[in-house]
Amino acid sequence: MYSQNKILELRNLKKYYPVYGGVLRRVKNHVKALDGIDLDIYRGECVGVVGESGCGKTTASKAIVRLHTPTAGRILFHRNGRDDGESITDISRLKRGALKRKGIREKLQMVFQDPSTSLNPRMLVKHIITEPLREYTDLSSREMENRVVELLNMVGLSKTHLMRYPHEFSGGQRQRIAVARAIASHPEFLVLDEPTSALDVSVQAQILNLLLSLRDKFNLTYLFVTHHLLVVKYISTRIVVMYLGKIVEMSGTKDLFATPFHPYTFALLSGIPIPGSEQRMKRIVLSGDVPNPLNPPRGCRFHTRCPFAFKQCGDEEPGLEEIAPGHFSACHLKSRSRQKVRDKFGNGM
Amino acid sequence: MGNILEIKNLVVNFYTYEGVVKALNDVSFSVDHGSTFGLVGESGCGKSVTARAIMRIIQEPGRIESGQVILYPETVDGNGSVDLLKQSEAYMEDLRGNQISMIFQEPNAALNPIMSIGDQVAESFLFHQKQILCETILSELSDGQHRPSKAVLMCLKTIYGKAADDGDSFFFKLLGSVPFLRNWDRRLKSVAIRRAVSLIGKLGIPQPERIVNLYPHNLSGGMKQRIVIAIGLASNPLLLIADEATSNLDVTIQAQILELLKILKKDGISSILLITHDLGVVAETCDRVGVMYAGNICEIADVREVFEAPLHPYTRALLKSVPKINQDDRLASIPGNVPNLVNPPSGCRFHPRCMAALPICRHEAPALVNAHGRHLVACHNSSVA
Ligand SMILES: Nc1ncnc2c1ncn2[C@@H]1O[C@H](COP(=O)(O)OP(=O)(O)OP(=O)(O)O)[C@@H](O)[C@H]1O
Ligand SMILES: Nc1ncnc2c1ncn2[C@@H]1O[C@H](COP(=O)(O)OP(=O)(O)O)[C@@H](O)[C@H]1O
Ligand code: SF4
Ligand code: SF4
Ligand SMILES: [Mg+2]
Ligand SMILES: [Mg+2]
């Protein structure tokens, strides 16, 4: 189990993207990509974030490592070791320079989905990995060279790969290089946005295992974003389910798969195509598609597709409530939802 | 159960600047009538090239070097087989979208952005099933409530009777220049639209009457993919080839399409060749599975056999490398990478990554042989692996 000390707290985090329109290109509306999420992340855990395309996973990841500035809300970073008020910094509005001065920027790193676009094609592997070392450390060039080789070895590559360009590697190898670069600055927290989605399944397993061993070795904390539920189940200790910019359910991984509460989570889990002949739960096929985040439905955002929606759902937005210890769900049915799903779909969960 | 399609010793190469990409190296398999055959494998193993070779739409600089693609259009009545690789381009043009429909990963490429959904599906009906539409009209004409006058009825009957035989003949070109008969096909179109509405409704899209008036950009990815399937089905094909048709979709939308494919199968709509890299999709929708690696078929068996008693080392390794729902221990990954097909490994193309490799594997490619029942495997050492 992970330690109980927090590394990050997200408080009512929001990110609205302006939509321009009309002849004057004025702001016409906003895409509410992230609409008020609260999340505590503890050191050493791997929080998996799942949800359909456009639900705000990438937006949340980028906000946390401050690749953009959130529209509202706070991101509290807890410095390692101490838990007195002193060590907590709200990084949601800090500029790049300030983040770097405070030594926080190097602690939060990100690995992107597509290794072929996230690595500069004109840079040698050696320089790709040296870049963060140069920025965040004051190693001599000799030490730096040793460190680069050490990092390559950590991700399963070797010295012979130093003088090559990204295009000379396979997708899996490129993702290894991206991981090496991300861990070069001794980060404490890594956001992994779909790090294996562009990879072949045989290579995906290599990268997932690499990430697990690096986590153990350096006590890293991960936020692992994916739409692949079996991958997230494999790697995460806790899972956050998002729908249209909101967290709808959150709990430990085992709990979420064994005893989900939210109707949307049921639909997601029942939709997983299972690679084997095991018994699967009866599929809950949702009608329609994810609504447009420009005009999310009133009340519960899921009510337009929820098989259990009732009057209150269209009027009132359900809050995220703790229904069982450590298990949160945002549904007016609260804990009755599971029985409802069973009654209607007879799922043996 | 007879075959609808049989692929024999198919070899396809691409002549690129880098060298010759040996994309398909002696691929053989067959698809049973009324069943779903799944072709699985990692990216670049040749799944799409196989599909394109069947349709004879391999892009430049590719070439089908040898092999046979045999379609048994009439198996139901027990006669006829056609080697598609020997047919004229005109024959193939008629066959594509008519007897074999293909659905691709990207629905946008298959839809016309400036034509309404209804028109696109209706067009497919008009193009491929004109005869049936005409027959519908004729029967409606004879027992409809608002009967036209006798002379007009005779005239219309002649027109639709003739159209059912051959809608493109000179007769209709002539007809197009007669003022009050110029719009003779309007009725045909309205029947086609009606069929489109009912088919779209059957595919689980709510309010089909409204949807037919929309354009592709009004629809989401999952809906668009279902429209593409509708267009493919409108021709009532013998074989539907779906190449990664659900790979870009979200879990809940993919679930809709997978359920749809199951219903289609249950209704015996057609035989399906389902191409995917997702073993989960295969497990759920297919009756028989072919596993591909680097341009070869490694193993073919019924779906349960593949998952419960795989024989080929690659199949076994692949199954161990995907996370399962009850995954408790570490995933086993396959060392190394998928090979480059310009210089594929000698002998068995899997040998550099194979745990069960024997000395012979390095210089002799294993043949695909029947291990037992209808379980085929291509490996020198499948019993040990
Ligand atoms: N730069 C931007 N400008 C405007 N809208 C944006 C921008 N980036 C994202 N969005 C919108 O914000 C919403 C959430 O996007 P986000 O990229 O976070 O989704 P996601 O959950 O990562 O989806 P996916 O699974 O497809 O990666 C989407 O509706 C998206 O269209
Ligand atoms: N148009 C093309 N030009 C050159 N090589 C191609 C072309 N199309 C496919 N190939 C090669 O053929 C092999 C098989 O490709 P493909 O069938 O598309 O793989 P997949 O199994 O992912 O569908 C790959 O090595 C690919 O690079
Ligand atoms: S609040 Fe209502 S609409 Fe939302 S998930 Fe619960 S039952 Fe469904
Ligand atoms: S033929 Fe040899 S190398 Fe190929 S899969 Fe079988 S044992 Fe492995
Ligand atoms: Mg994303
Ligand atoms: Mg393909």
Side-chain angles (χ1 to χ4, degrees):
Chain A
M1 201 47 197
Y2 47 87
S3 71
Q4 285 304 303
N5 70 28
K6 284 180 197 164
I7 181 161
L8 280 163
E9 278 177 66
L10 315 184
R11 288 286 165 266
N12 197 22
L13 199 62
K14 292 184 182 177
K15 177 70 183 181
Y16 293 178
Y17 294 106
V19 176
Y20 301 92
V23 262
L24 297 174
R25 312 283 308 148
R26 264 194 293 231
V27 177
K28 239 181 43 186
N29 206 338
H30 285 96
V31 179
K32 296 179 176 153
L34 205 58
D35 204 9
I37 65 167
D38 292 282
L39 177 64
D40 293 347
I41 301 172
Y42 296 87
R43 284 184 187 275
E45 71 172 335
C46 173
V47 179
V49 180
V50 291
E52 290 173 274
S53 179
C55 70
K57 306 184 293 292
T58 301
T59 306
S61 327
K62 287 188 174 168
I64 296 171
V65 294
R66 287 303 317 284
L67 287 176
H68 60 59
T69 303
T71 311
R74 294 186 297 156
I75 302 170
L76 305 176
F77 176 74
H78 295 237
R79 215 168 277 277
N80 202 2
R82 294 175 298 164
D83 227 355
D84 46 24
E86 300 278 300
S87 62
I88 301 173
T89 320
D90 182 354
I91 60 168
S92 60
R93 310 238 107 57
L94 291 182
K95 297 242 161 43
R96 284 175 83 91
L99 278 172
K100 197 174 163 193
R101 259 198 323 282
K102 290 175 187 274
I104 295 175
R105 209 154 86 88
E106 71 248 43
K107 300 287 176 214
L108 310 172
Q109 293 291 326
M110 182 155 175
V111 175
F112 298 89
Q113 169 167 0
D114 192 351
S116 43
T117 53
S118 66
L119 300 176
N120 185 339
R122 279 183 291 278
M123 272 166 87
L124 289 169
V125 166
K126 179 182 166 191
H127 297 132
I128 289 175
I129 302 177
T130 316
E131 213 179 21
L133 293 176
R134 213 177 290 272
E135 198 173 343
Y136 301 119
T137 65
D138 34 43
L139 298 177
S140 68
S141 55
R142 172 63 132 309
E143 289 168 321
M144 224 178 284
E145 186 124 341
N146 289 338
R147 175 84 178 130
V148 171
V149 174
E150 188 190 359
L151 284 163
L152 280 177
N153 289 336
M154 275 179 212
V155 298
L157 297 173
S158 70
K159 211 164 148 181
T160 56
H161 297 111
L162 275 177
M163 293 311 205
R164 294 205 201 159
Y165 289 98
H167 72 86
E168 298 173 63
F169 292 90
S170 69
Q173 287 173 322
R174 264 178 269 177
Q175 202 56 297
R176 287 169 191 272
I177 294 164
V179 171
R181 180 183 59 179
I183 61 174
S185 61
H186 291 294
E188 294 170 1
F189 181 79
L190 269 190
V191 170
L192 304 145
D193 187 2
E194 308 259 13
T196 61
S197 302
L199 305 179
D200 278 319
V201 278
S202 70
V203 180
Q204 164 173 287
Q206 297 170 6
I207 299 290
L208 292 177
N209 287 342
L210 169 68
L211 291 173
L212 282 174
S213 67
L214 289 176
R215 187 189 67 159
D216 294 346
K217 203 157 162 192
F218 301 111
N219 192 31
L220 290 169
T221 307
Y222 291 154
L223 187 80
F224 194 105
V225 172
T226 179
H227 64 278
H228 197 309
L229 285 137
L230 293 177
V231 166
V232 87
K233 177 167 191 282
Y234 177 65
I235 196 150
S236 311
T237 46
R238 201 153 61 97
I239 294 180
V240 168
V241 182
M242 287 186 66
Y243 189 76
L244 275 182
K246 289 267 186 190
I247 294 179
V248 296
E249 184 159 8
M250 181 163 82
S251 89
T253 301
K254 279 221 166 70
D255 258 10
L256 191 95
F257 276 80
T259 54
F261 279 108
H262 200 280
Y264 178 63
T265 311
F266 270 101
L268 277 186
L269 296 183
S270 77
I272 309 176
I274 296 177
S277 47
E278 300 132 76
Q279 191 63 38
R280 62 169 357 273
M281 62 193 278
K282 185 162 181 280
R283 179 165 285 153
I284 302 170
V285 179
L286 296 177
S287 63
D289 295 287
V290 183
N292 188 342
L294 269 177
N295 298 303
R298 264 166 49 80
C300 172
R301 293 180 180 209
F302 185 52
H303 88 259
T304 50
R305 301 171 80 199
C306 179
F308 308 102
F310 55 107
K311 169 119 198 349
Q312 191 187 4
C313 306
D315 303 333
E316 223 180 281
E317 184 159 357
L320 194 64
E321 281 180 50
E322 187 160 8
I323 292 182
H327 196 144
F328 298 79
S329 166
C331 169
H332 291 307
L333 291 172
K334 304 212 164 73
S335 60
R336 282 170 293 144
S337 55
R338 193 183 299 152
Q339 192 56 46
K340 287 250 181 197
V341 174
R342 280 214 192 103
D343 292 348
K344 182 159 177 153
F345 296 95
N347 277 311
M349 300 201 78
Chain B
M1 214 171 358
N3 292 337
I4 178 84
L5 183 76
E6 198 174 345
I7 313 260
K8 286 188 186 164
N9 311 100
L10 197 59
V11 177
V12 175
N13 290 336
F14 288 90
Y15 293 85
T16 67
Y17 288 114
E18 263 186 85
V20 183
V21 179
K22 297 154 195 99
L24 295 189
N25 178 30
D26 196 14
V27 164
S28 304
F29 65 92
S30 54
V31 181
D32 296 333
H33 231 287
S35 77
T36 302
F37 186 95
L39 209 50
V40 268
E42 299 178 84
S43 82
C45 71
K47 305 179 296 290
S48 300
V49 170
T50 305
R52 291 179 161 273
I54 295 170
M55 300 289 269
R56 287 208 3 222
I57 49 170
I58 296 275
Q59 297 122 314
E60 282 295 308
R63 216 160 68 200
I64 302 178
E65 308 282 3
S66 58
Q68 290 175 293
V69 175
I70 304 169
L71 187 70
Y72 296 89
E74 244 87 45
T75 310
V76 205
D77 357 9
N79 59 45
S81 72
V82 195
D83 183 355
L84 300 184
L85 300 187
K86 294 216 172 72
Q87 303 309 312
S88 67
E89 184 51 35
Y91 181 94
M92 289 307 292
E93 227 154 76
D94 183 57
L95 174 124
R96 285 180 207 128
N98 208 346
Q99 301 188 57
I100 304 183
S101 287
M102 189 155 166
I103 305 166
F104 298 91
Q105 180 163 1
E106 186 37 66
N108 286 324
L111 294 171
N112 181 344
I114 54 165
M115 200 168 162
S116 79
I117 296 298
D119 284 348
Q120 298 193 42
V121 182
E123 191 181 58
S124 183
F125 272 119
L126 282 173
F127 192 76
H128 299 292
Q129 295 200 53
K130 199 173 228 163
Q131 198 169 346
I132 298 169
L133 297 183
C134 290
E135 280 156 15
T136 314
I137 296 177
L138 286 176
S139 74
E140 277 174 0
L141 280 176
S142 353
D143 57 38
Q145 295 101 349
H146 26 261
R147 283 190 152 191
S149 74
K150 215 166 192 161
V152 176
L153 184 66
M154 283 300 289
C155 185
L156 286 173
K157 272 193 174 171
T158 323
I159 291 174
Y160 290 113
K162 256 195 151 38
D165 289 343
D166 175 15
D168 302 319
S169 70
F170 180 66
F171 174 74
F172 289 95
K173 292 215 180 75
L174 207 67
L175 209 63
S177 54
V178 180
F180 76 101
L181 284 177
R182 193 176 293 156
N183 294 325
W184 67 276
D185 58 355
R186 195 177 280 165
R187 194 188 290 262
L188 204 56
K189 188 146 178 230
S190 86
V191 178
I193 292 272
R194 251 168 31 218
R195 301 263 320 239
V197 169
S198 108
L199 181 60
I200 292 172
K202 250 196 235 157
L203 298 191
I205 299 182
Q207 298 177 287
E209 302 82 5
R210 195 176 66 87
I211 296 290
V212 289
N213 298 317
L214 300 180
Y215 288 81
H217 69 263
N218 300 122
L219 305 181
S220 69
M223 283 219 216
K224 274 190 269 195
Q225 194 60 287
R226 266 175 288 177
I227 298 300
V228 174
I229 294 178
I231 293 172
L233 289 177
S235 61
N236 199 15
L238 291 166
L239 180 69
L240 186 68
I241 302 179
D243 187 359
E244 305 277 8
T246 63
S247 304
N248 270 350
L249 304 175
D250 275 316
V251 186
T252 61
I253 310 297
Q254 168 168 295
Q256 294 169 352
I257 306 276
L258 292 185
E259 288 301 305
L260 175 63
L261 290 179
K262 281 191 206 166
I263 292 168
L264 292 181
K265 198 169 88 183
K266 215 171 7 184
D267 294 354
I269 294 218
S270 57
S271 316
I272 302 174
L273 176 61
L274 189 95
I275 293 175
T276 177
H277 65 273
D278 188 334
L279 288 163
V281 170
V282 167
E284 293 218 347
T285 45
C286 299
D287 302 304
R288 239 172 121 67
V289 183
V291 181
M292 285 188 82
Y293 182 79
N296 286 323
I297 296 259
C298 324
E299 180 160 12
I300 302 177
D302 289 348
V303 69
R304 282 191 79 95
E305 284 264 317
V306 166
F307 286 97
E308 283 170 12
L311 291 176
H312 197 280
Y314 175 65
T315 315
R316 294 180 183 202
L318 193 65
L319 285 171
K320 284 198 197 118
S321 73
V322 294
K324 283 5 128 265
I325 194 95
N326 300 319
Q327 184 81 36
D328 286 327
D329 41 358
R330 281 263 168 131
L331 287 176
S333 58
I334 307 178
N337 289 292
V338 177
N340 179 338
L341 296 184
V342 174
N343 285 311
S346 59
C348 171
R349 288 183 174 185
F350 187 53
H351 87 253
R353 306 174 76 188
C354 181
M355 299 296 202
L358 302 171
I360 185 182
C361 306
R362 274 199 233 167
H363 48 262
E364 201 173 304
L368 188 67
V369 294
N370 206 342
H372 59 80
R374 298 215 310 146
H375 197 147
L376 301 136
V377 62
C379 174
H380 294 303
N381 198 14
S382 63
S383 53
V384 182

